[in-house]
């Protein structure tokens, strides 16, 4: 299940390594060789591993590639290779739902941000971040006309990259053409939590009726996929069209959405 170390490394770009995971492997090879041959200098290490001596020198002098730092950070938080049945996986999938329905990940630095809504308040969003081990602050709270966002105070760029490996887009979300595959990897109760969060963010709240409707600017394939996830966790009626998804009053009550 995503995120994996390989997928996280590949969210980085590198002028030398088309596949940044190869950079992680080379860095590890250098450290392993140096540990086994403590008197070897950069030239000897480079020749032994067929790597440029200048690249080796930086790594031997405590230079750590960004993908390696990210992997180490993600390991410290327990985000990598999560067991689908684990609390970590459930927390990551819930945060993914908040991000897809009520947030964004910037393409510039990968930091995720989630905006509160009518049914989802800031406290719930902060709790979702805290479940994955990240503290948060409120951004734009004092700026008129700007939505208040909940953002991480540390390790946000690594968390955002992990969410991207799980299927979250960076920048605009209008091209997202399917529900992230990880939603099908986790147990049904976690999948149900995912759609409940999504509906609470995106479902229209009608005062005169209990039916709710999700209208999103997404390809029809995403709408059909989301409807399939809803149908998987609900017994009551859910219908879809190219314009959106209608969730019957009975299905809304079954999902526990007020």
């Amino acid at each position: 299940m995503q995120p994996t170390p390989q997928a996280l490394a590949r969210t980085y770009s590198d002028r030398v390594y088309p596949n940044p995971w190869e950079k992680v492997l080379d860095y590890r090879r250098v450290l392993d060789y140096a540990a086994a041959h403590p008197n070897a200098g950069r030239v000897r290490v480079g020749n032994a591993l067929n790597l440029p001596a200048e690249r080796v020198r930086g790594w031997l002098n405590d230079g750590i590639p960004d993908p390696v730092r990210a992997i180490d950070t993600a390991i410290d938080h327990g985000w990598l290779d999560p067991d689908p049945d684990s609390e970590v996986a459930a927390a990551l999938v819930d945060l993914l739902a908040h991000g897809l329905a009520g947030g964004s990940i910037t393409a510039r630095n990968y930091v995720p941000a989630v905006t509160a809504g009518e049914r989802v308040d800031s406290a719930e969003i902060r709790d979702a971040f805290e479940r994955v081990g990240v503290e948060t602050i409120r951004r734009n709270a004092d700026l008129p006309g700007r939505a208040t966002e909940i953002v991480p105070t540390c390790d946000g760029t690594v968390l955002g990259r992990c969410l991207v490996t799980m299927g979250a887009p960076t920048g605009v979300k209008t091209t997202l053409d399917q529900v992230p595959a990880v939603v099908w990897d986790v147990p049904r109760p976690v999948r149900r939590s995912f759609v409940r969060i999504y509906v609470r963010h995106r479902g229209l709240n009608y005062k005169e009726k209990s039916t709710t409707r999700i209208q999103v600017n997404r390809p029809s394939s995403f709408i059909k996929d989301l409807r399939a996830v809803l149908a998987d966790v609900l017994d009551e009626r859910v219908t879809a069209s190219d314009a959106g998804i209608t969730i019957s009053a009975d299905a809304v009550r079954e999902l526990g959405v007020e």
Side-chain angles (χ1 to χ4, degrees):
M1 177 178 167
Q2 301 290 356
T4 64
Q6 296 89 334
L8 177 57
R10 290 174 186 135
T11 65
Y12 288 84
S13 58
D14 192 277
R15 290 177 296 177
V16 176
Y17 290 87
N19 178 359
W21 174 244
E22 297 295 332
K23 187 173 190 175
V24 174
L25 296 179
D26 279 352
Y27 172 80
R28 291 175 176 174
R29 289 170 59 216
V30 167
L31 294 195
D32 288 344
Y33 188 92
H37 305 84
N39 295 322
R42 61 186 175 87
V43 174
R44 179 180 168 186
V45 175
N47 287 340
L49 301 178
N50 196 28
L51 293 170
E54 288 304 305
R55 189 181 310 165
V56 169
R57 180 176 65 176
W59 295 345
L60 292 178
N61 291 336
D62 298 326
I64 303 175
D66 288 339
V68 174
R69 289 186 185 275
I71 289 170
D72 289 344
T73 297
I75 289 173
D76 288 343
H77 284 287
W79 296 335
L80 296 184
D81 293 315
D83 184 329
D85 294 323
S86 68
E87 168 58 23
V88 171
L92 285 169
V93 169
D94 276 0
L95 186 58
L96 179 65
H98 283 292
L100 291 179
S104 62
I105 298 175
T106 59
R108 178 176 58 85
N109 60 13
Y110 284 81
V111 173
V114 181
T115 303
E118 187 174 349
R119 291 186 175 107
V120 184
D121 61 20
S122 295
E124 178 179 343
I125 296 167
R126 299 185 78 157
D127 181 66
F129 277 104
E130 288 171 4
R131 284 178 63 203
V132 300
V134 173
E135 295 183 354
T136 57
I137 59 172
R138 299 172 70 214
R139 187 170 66 187
N140 302 331
D142 300 324
L143 296 179
R146 297 286 299 275
T148 299
E149 297 175 316
I150 308 300
V151 297
T153 58
C154 62
D155 299 334
T157 183
V158 178
L159 176 59
R161 289 174 186 274
C162 286
L163 293 174
V164 167
T165 71
M166 296 174 70
T170 59
V172 297
K173 296 180 288 187
T174 54
T175 58
L176 187 64
D177 59 2
Q178 65 177 17
V179 173
V182 294
V183 175
W184 295 104
D185 292 336
V186 292
R188 194 166 180 260
V190 181
R191 196 153 52 249
R192 180 187 178 94
S193 179
F194 173 91
V195 295
R196 183 173 185 273
I197 290 168
Y198 198 97
V199 170
R200 290 174 63 239
H201 272 286
R202 302 293 302 183
L204 299 177
N205 191 7
Y206 298 113
K207 292 183 178 180
E208 70 280 5
K209 56 184 178 180
S210 298
T211 299
T212 193
R213 183 166 174 78
I214 298 173
Q215 292 179 242
V216 290
N217 185 14
R218 303 281 191 281
S220 59
S221 58
F222 175 86
I223 295 173
K224 292 178 181 177
D225 208 22
L226 181 60
R227 192 265 171 193
V229 181
L230 282 159
D232 177 73
V233 301
L234 294 174
D235 295 323
E236 300 297 340
R237 189 165 179 265
V238 177
T239 59
S241 66
D242 288 342
I245 296 173
T246 300
I247 305 172
S248 68
D250 288 338
V252 170
R253 285 188 287 271
E254 183 186 358
L255 195 55
V257 175
E258 298 179 358

